[in-house]
Amino acid sequence: FTLGDLLKIDPSIYYAFVLMYLFFQGYFLHSRYNFKTHNESSLKKYFLHTIIFSLSDYFLFNFFISLFDTYQFVINIISSGIIWLVRFTSLRYFVFKEENSNNSQNSDIQKEHYDSHAHIKVKRDLNNVTSQARKKFVTIPLKNIDNLGNLMDFGCGNGALVNYLDQYYISYKGFDISKKQIENANKFFSDFKNVSFHEKNLKEKFDLPEKFDSVYSFGVLHHMTDLKQTVHNVNDILKVGGIFIIVEPHRGGFFINTLRNIRKVIDPSYDETQFFFRKGEIEKLVPQNFKLIDREFFGFLLPYFAHFPLKPRFLFMPLLKLSIYLDDKFFNKFQNVLKNYLWMQYLIYEKK
């Protein structure tokens, strides 16, 4: 439409090309990133859906053109904005109707994803700058906790929590579904005392001789399905009086989620199936005999340093330290106001 303004072309001449673009580009993005479903039925429904809404948009666009003497792209923004909410809602419930997830299939997808990207994931925890950011991430929930005792890492990935929490635990056992991640854990972090790593599907019951003083789940649940059963498995392996620490990305507002969607497109190691929790959603998953003892939102600047290996060190380390200082002194203290701009949340439960 901007090009139409520059060339002074009647929009009715090129609108058919706009329609074709909307169909092919729109279906690809919606099926791949927004709703993650694709079949012959959804393709046919999307074709009909695109025609209906694009024609509606076209007539609305021309109606506004007749009312207002302004640029075409301005009118397009107005007309498209009016029908967008209706369009997106109908996509969700008519075209890409969500079905119950296949739990075994999700487990296979997760295993394949983390096996294939294990070499990328471990670089973050071996990088001088990024590892310091991630250590800060892990230790923020522990400001009132001195000792984790016998610790289970629930979804340990490459086992980097062994390093980050070295001063907090007596013994450590890490469990993860990814064979390659466990291999990296044994390669890079097995030299620590009283440490072991195990390949395990966290959705399945644990058959262990011991129970743990604490269970730490760091950024695990938002990759999984069958969450209630998965979280309830912790009840079987945690001692009475033990603590369950959950750290998860917060759903946040428009800005945060826009950046996440961009990353899904440009970063192949970023899991496309993940989702993010709103306030109150995690609490519904936890067993009734678990009492919430602490909960906060955090991370305004820190997350930007935690996801990619950063070099050179002399440039990024001072920026990281400044970001940690600003988060600690200002941004994390105003979480009620800035909640939609804070990337992370933690919840700490005590088993009664």
Side-chain angles (χ1 to χ4, degrees):
F1 287 103
T2 304
L3 185 62
D5 286 326
L6 294 175
L7 299 179
K8 300 187 183 303
I9 301 175
D10 189 318
S12 61
I13 296 175
Y14 57 79
Y15 199 82
F17 295 100
V18 175
L19 188 64
M20 287 188 287
Y21 168 79
L22 283 174
F23 176 74
F24 290 108
Q25 179 258 11
Y27 184 80
F28 171 78
L29 293 179
H30 283 306
S31 63
R32 185 174 176 83
Y33 297 110
N34 285 340
F35 303 105
K36 302 182 180 67
T37 59
H38 162 69
N39 52 51
E40 184 178 348
S41 175
S42 66
L43 184 64
K44 292 178 180 178
K45 289 179 180 178
Y46 191 84
F47 177 74
L48 178 61
H49 182 276
T50 301
I51 292 176
I52 294 173
F53 276 90
S54 296
L55 290 177
S56 300
D57 193 8
Y58 174 70
F59 289 117
L60 194 61
F61 171 82
N62 279 282
F63 173 72
F64 282 127
I65 282 284
S66 66
L67 290 181
F68 306 108
D69 183 19
T70 185
Y71 291 107
Q72 294 176 21
F73 78 90
V74 174
I75 297 298
N76 177 247
I77 291 173
I78 296 173
S79 61
S80 297
I82 289 175
I83 68 169
W84 170 247
L85 288 177
V86 178
R87 171 176 159 78
F88 194 81
T89 302
S90 64
L91 281 173
R92 179 181 299 278
Y93 294 105
F94 175 66
V95 178
F96 299 104
K97 187 176 181 180
E98 296 179 358
E99 299 177 355
N100 294 330
S101 299
N102 184 309
N103 293 321
S104 61
Q105 183 181 19
N106 176 265
S107 297
D108 292 339
I109 291 172
Q110 291 299 311
K111 181 176 175 63
E112 179 182 357
H113 174 83
Y114 283 95
D115 279 346
S116 61
H117 294 98
H119 64 291
I120 298 175
K121 301 289 185 182
V122 76
K123 289 179 181 178
R124 304 178 303 186
D125 295 296
L126 300 176
N127 176 272
N128 287 330
V129 179
T130 312
S131 63
Q132 290 302 308
R134 296 178 71 78
K135 181 175 182 177
K136 179 65 177 178
F137 254 148
V138 172
T139 55
I140 282 177
L142 306 182
K143 58 187 177 182
N144 297 317
I145 299 173
D146 297 324
N147 189 354
L148 295 171
N150 297 315
L151 169 66
M152 170 192 269
D153 190 349
F154 193 77
C156 65
N158 58 47
L161 261 67
V162 164
N163 182 25
Y164 301 150
L165 301 178
D166 187 32
Q167 304 301 316
Y168 287 92
Y169 60 82
I170 297 172
S171 67
Y172 167 103
K173 284 191 176 182
F175 296 84
D176 199 274
I177 195 173
S178 169
K179 180 180 180 180
K180 293 293 185 182
Q181 293 264 61
I182 295 298
E183 289 176 357
N184 281 337
N186 283 310
K187 179 179 180 180
F188 294 106
F189 301 108
S190 60
D191 290 340
F192 290 80
K193 291 183 179 180
N194 300 320
V195 164
S196 62
F197 304 101
H198 309 270
E199 186 179 346
K200 169 72 176 175
N201 187 341
L202 303 179
K203 297 178 185 179
E204 299 172 355
K205 291 281 187 179
F206 285 82
D207 183 18
L208 299 172
E210 77 271 39
K211 292 195 175 184
F212 296 89
D213 299 305
S214 56
V215 175
Y216 201 132
S217 173
F218 181 74
V220 175
L221 301 181
H222 68 288
H223 295 285
M224 303 181 70
T225 58
D226 198 19
L227 285 172
K228 196 155 192 174
Q229 178 59 50
T230 301
V231 173
H232 277 239
N233 286 342
V234 175
N235 197 24
D236 299 331
I237 55 179
L238 185 63
K239 295 178 181 178
V240 174
I243 59 172
F244 181 27
I245 304 168
I246 302 172
V247 179
E248 285 291 328
H250 172 228
R251 183 167 179 80
F254 175 80
F255 176 72
I256 287 178
N257 287 301
T258 298
L259 294 181
R260 284 171 174 153
N261 287 331
I262 292 173
R263 187 180 172 192
K264 284 183 180 180
V265 176
I266 65 175
D267 182 4
S269 70
Y270 197 57
D271 177 17
E272 294 179 4
T273 66
Q274 63 187 303
F275 59 96
F276 306 101
F277 295 99
R278 295 182 176 89
K279 184 177 181 180
E281 290 182 332
I282 295 177
E283 291 93 317
K284 296 176 182 178
L285 303 173
V286 178
Q288 293 183 352
N289 61 322
F290 281 48
K291 179 183 178 182
L292 182 64
I293 58 176
D294 194 10
R295 186 245 176 82
E296 284 190 9
F297 296 93
F298 67 96
F300 183 79
L301 297 173
L302 179 61
Y304 297 100
F305 295 85
H307 297 290
F308 302 98
L310 298 174
K311 294 180 180 180
R313 184 180 188 277
F314 74 84
L315 173 62
F316 286 104
M317 188 61 80
L319 291 175
L320 171 60
K321 291 180 178 179
L322 176 62
S323 298
I324 291 174
Y325 175 83
L326 292 174
D327 272 6
D328 287 345
K329 297 297 182 182
F330 300 103
F331 298 119
N332 292 343
K333 292 184 180 296
F334 296 98
Q335 57 182 281
N336 289 333
V337 177
L338 297 174
K339 185 179 68 175
N340 285 338
Y341 299 93
L342 298 176
W343 289 77
M344 304 296 292
Q345 59 182 316
Y346 74 78
L347 303 90
I348 301 179
Y349 288 90
E350 180 182 358
K351 180 178 176 180
K352 296 298 185 181

